[in-house]
């Protein structure tokens, strides 16, 4: 089914390219002082040449949530990140500060202070581990004197080293390998339909996994075990996503 604007409509959501209405996304800033910073937003409407978004943390002069139209090159879905990852000096990361995710690298770590980051804009700060995530994709760069954004090759970033996980323990005696197998099938089916894996939410995967593993059980039996779901998802992703060519 198609909408009057020409995009595909799925259950009332209008999709244009990789983005759909109500998608949770991040926007690379083009404001002075916020260069290379990612801000969270929600897609209000999707178009062929960009999307109209509403920012989660920023407001306009009247105090309402700020809205603007942005090009697809400045957008990405809120990505799935490893539940844990090894940290070492020099690791490229993004740190959450002033309502945005900023690129930088780890300088040092402290058992109480957390991680000290040196940001690309020259600033530095101590941040707790929950406010630091591995950098999985380089930010697009605006070509000087133009409105054109160029996305660097993803292969420029090495994949973060993941810390070893404890055994995956699921409720109701479900074997962990069955959960990983089921998630691999779900991810492969989504990819076969042309759906970006970064657009799949954990809540959606949780509901589908419950129905796949124990269709007779009441919905919600996986709730409270999100850490086990994420660990199983990481194993499934390692099977599903092909390694990057170098």
């Amino acid at each position: 089914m198609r909408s009057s604007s020409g995009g595909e409509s799925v259950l009332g959501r209008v999709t244009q390219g990789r983005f759909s209405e109500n998608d949770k996304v991040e926007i690379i800033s083009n404001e002075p002082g916020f260069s290379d910073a990612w801000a969270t937003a929600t897609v209000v409407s999707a178009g062929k040449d960009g999307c109209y978004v509403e920012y989660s943390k920023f407001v306009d002069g009247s105090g309402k949530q700020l809205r603007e139209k942005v090009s697809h090159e400045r957008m990405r879905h809120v990505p799935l990140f490893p539940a844990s990852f090894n940290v070492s000096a020099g690791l490229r990361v993004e740190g959450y500060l002033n309502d945005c995710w900023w690129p930088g690298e780890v300088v040092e770590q402290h058992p109480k202070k957390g991680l000290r980051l040196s940001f690309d804009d020259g600033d530095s700060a101590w941040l707790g581990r929950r406010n630091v995530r591995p950098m999985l994709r380089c930010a697009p760069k605006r070509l000087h004197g133009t409105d054109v954004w160029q996305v660097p090759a993803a292969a420029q970033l090495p994949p973060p080293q993941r810390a070893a996980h404890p055994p995956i323990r699921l409720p109701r005696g479900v074997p962990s390998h069955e959960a990983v197998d089921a998630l691999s099938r779900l991810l492969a089916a989504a990819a076969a339909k042309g759906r970006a894996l970064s657009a799949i939410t954990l809540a959606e995967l949780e509901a589908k996994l419950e129905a796949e593993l124990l269709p007779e059980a009441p919905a919600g039996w996986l709730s409270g075990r999100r850490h086990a779901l994420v660990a199983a998802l990481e194993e499934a992703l390692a099977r599903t996503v092909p390694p990057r060519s170098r």
Side-chain angles (χ1 to χ4, degrees):
M1 183 171 64
R2 292 190 175 274
S3 69
S4 58
S5 61
E8 294 182 356
S9 177
V10 182
L11 297 180
R13 300 173 70 217
V14 177
T15 301
Q16 289 285 0
R18 296 183 295 117
F19 301 101
S20 307
E21 291 178 5
N22 299 319
D23 276 359
K24 301 300 180 182
V25 296
E26 293 178 350
I27 311 298
I28 189 77
S29 176
N30 61 358
E31 295 294 325
F34 282 83
S35 177
D36 291 347
W38 293 96
T40 57
T42 301
V43 175
V44 177
S45 61
K48 292 181 179 179
D49 58 346
C51 294
Y52 200 53
V53 302
E54 180 178 283
Y55 288 95
S56 305
K57 298 292 185 179
F58 299 130
V59 296
D60 58 21
S62 61
K64 297 181 179 179
Q65 296 302 123
L66 180 64
R67 293 187 174 191
E68 72 167 340
K69 184 176 181 180
V70 297
S71 64
H72 292 157
E73 290 78 13
R74 291 178 55 201
M75 301 173 61
R76 69 181 180 188
H77 288 100
V78 175
L80 292 174
F81 288 91
S84 59
F85 60 100
N86 290 332
V87 175
S88 59
L91 179 68
R92 293 290 293 168
V93 294
E94 293 173 349
Y96 191 73
L97 188 67
N98 297 329
D99 299 324
C100 290
W101 290 96
W102 302 78
E105 65 179 46
V106 176
V107 177
E108 61 179 308
Q109 50 185 322
H110 188 277
K112 293 184 179 180
K113 294 181 180 180
L115 302 174
R116 186 165 73 88
L117 305 187
S118 175
F119 295 105
D120 290 356
D121 63 2
D123 288 342
S124 64
W126 285 96
L127 297 177
R129 281 292 296 263
R130 65 185 179 89
N131 288 326
V132 179
R133 65 190 188 188
M135 185 185 294
L136 301 184
R137 173 191 168 190
C138 292
K141 300 293 184 181
R142 188 176 186 177
L143 298 183
H144 181 69
T146 73
D147 289 327
V148 177
W149 292 75
Q150 189 174 56
V151 181
Q156 291 178 358
L157 286 176
Q161 294 181 322
R162 297 180 180 181
H165 283 296
I168 301 172
R169 295 186 175 89
L170 296 167
R172 297 176 176 260
V174 174
S176 60
H177 68 88
E178 290 188 8
V180 174
D181 290 344
L183 284 169
S184 296
R185 291 193 298 270
L186 291 171
L187 293 173
K193 294 178 180 178
R195 188 175 182 192
L197 296 183
S198 59
I200 304 174
T201 65
L202 281 176
E204 178 184 352
L205 282 176
E206 182 177 307
K208 289 185 176 180
L209 187 60
E210 288 180 347
E212 177 88 6
L213 295 176
L214 296 176
E216 305 298 328
W221 61 267
L222 261 177
S223 61
R225 295 297 184 95
R226 182 60 64 87
H227 62 287
L229 173 61
V230 171
L233 176 60
E234 289 181 6
E235 289 194 22
L237 282 169
R239 298 183 187 179
T240 306
V241 179
R244 293 170 179 170
S245 59
R246 296 192 177 274

